[in-house]
Amino acid sequence: MPSRAPSRPEGTITRGTTHPNRLRRMDRWLAAAHGPALRRSPTPPSAVDLGYGAAPWTAVELLERLRTVRPDVRVHGVEIDPERVAAARAYEREGLAFVQGGFEIPLPLGEAPRGVTLIRAANVLRQYAEGEVAPAWARLCARLAPDGLLIEGTCDEIGRRHVWVALGPEGPRTVTFAARLATLATPSDLAERLPKALIHRNVPGEPVHAFLHDFDRAWATAAPYGALSARQRWVRAVRALSTSWPLTDGPRRWRQGEVTVRWAALAPRGGPG
């Protein structure tokens, strides 16, 4: 890992919109899905909150949530805007630091000797062109430890709807859709939160469009279960979806308002990954 940040960090300053608990659904999934890798790390694992925004809440929350899995985890909030870094340093504590940087992930010398265990880039690439996604993914994945994970995706302003891609050092693995079910009219409402790699591909002929179409159909068929709860309706719809799409999770995650699909099934035709 580099010992110091380059003179010009890689990336562009984002709008910086952030709210407490905005990424709680993503964090909950991370703790469950990546907890074993965090626990296996032979050294204190390093996690990065890339592009945390105008306020440091998401980095603070990431530390608190990951420490329920691995108490010695260290979190770095990385921001390209030096004024945001300076403001965030008032929130530093043992295990939490803020540094200026971008896609190069400029951790200090001695940090993450095996690579970074976790990088979370939420609402960062949405402002970039679709053609810039694959190079950014490759740059970030190159910083991962052998069992590391990159999460890149988008959510709404208060964390009700999320879609994210999970990537390992080799590239994209899965896509996860997550929602506060009480606010969801149809699963295709999540289309507005598709990450940059997919949002322009929600058109006929593309796999993600077919997936959301099938999801809406399964949701409509499961309507009678809505009398029990939105959760029961979601679980029944996802169970029906699992007969034709390669889901990687099961009822325990479905009950959380989530569903995870293999990337290969949704990958854009001729797109990244």
Side-chain angles (χ1 to χ4, degrees):
M1 303 295 291
S3 59
R4 57 188 176 87
S7 57
R8 185 177 180 181
E10 299 175 21
T12 303
I13 296 174
T14 65
R15 291 187 305 146
T17 305
T18 187
H19 296 284
N21 279 322
R22 184 181 186 186
L23 301 181
R24 62 192 180 279
R25 298 179 193 281
M26 191 180 290
D27 289 351
R28 182 176 61 196
W29 185 89
L30 281 171
H34 203 49
L38 292 170
R39 287 188 286 266
R40 285 194 306 267
S41 177
T43 58
S46 287
V48 169
D49 186 15
L50 179 63
Y52 57 83
W57 318 134
T58 60
V60 172
E61 292 164 354
L62 183 63
L63 176 71
E64 293 171 348
R65 289 160 181 164
L66 292 183
R67 285 203 158 177
T68 65
V69 176
R70 178 71 187 249
D72 61 350
V73 69
R74 296 176 296 194
V75 171
H76 287 83
V78 175
E79 249 295 339
I80 199 169
D81 183 344
E83 293 184 2
R84 293 175 182 176
V85 175
R89 284 188 170 142
Y91 295 85
E92 290 187 336
R93 64 184 76 169
E94 187 275 324
L96 177 64
F98 296 91
V99 297
Q100 184 187 6
F103 296 131
E104 76 284 355
I105 309 295
L107 298 194
L109 183 65
E111 286 282 355
R114 300 172 58 247
V116 181
T117 310
L118 171 66
I119 301 172
R120 185 184 65 189
N123 305 299
V124 172
L125 289 179
R126 190 69 178 269
Q127 69 178 3
Y128 288 77
E130 184 180 359
E132 296 177 282
V133 172
W137 280 358
R139 191 78 171 99
L140 293 170
C141 288
R143 293 302 191 195
L144 293 174
D147 57 354
L149 192 70
L150 164 64
I151 300 297
E152 188 274 304
T154 306
C155 69
D156 67 358
E157 288 73 11
I158 57 175
R160 296 170 301 176
R161 298 173 184 177
H162 293 248
V163 187
W164 63 81
V165 182
L167 306 93
E170 79 287 356
R173 295 174 177 173
T174 61
V175 184
T176 297
F177 298 78
R180 184 174 183 269
L181 298 179
T183 69
L184 196 68
T186 63
S188 61
D189 288 350
L190 288 162
E192 65 184 17
R193 298 302 162 184
L194 288 168
K196 194 67 177 192
L198 295 173
I199 193 163
H200 298 304
R201 304 306 184 105
N202 185 29
V203 294
E206 287 284 349
V208 70
H209 182 271
F211 174 79
L212 290 171
H213 177 270
D214 286 357
F215 204 168
D216 277 355
R217 184 168 55 187
W219 178 256
T221 301
Y225 292 93
L228 300 175
S229 68
R231 176 180 294 179
Q232 288 294 324
R233 185 178 182 182
W234 175 272
V235 169
R236 292 288 176 166
V238 173
R239 191 181 303 278
L241 202 63
S242 70
T243 64
S244 53
W245 291 89
L247 309 187
T248 66
D249 51 6
R252 184 173 182 181
R253 302 311 310 171
W254 302 344
R255 286 192 290 270
Q256 301 298 319
E258 301 168 6
V259 60
T260 298
V261 193
R262 293 195 184 280
W263 167 259
L266 301 186
R269 294 182 176 174

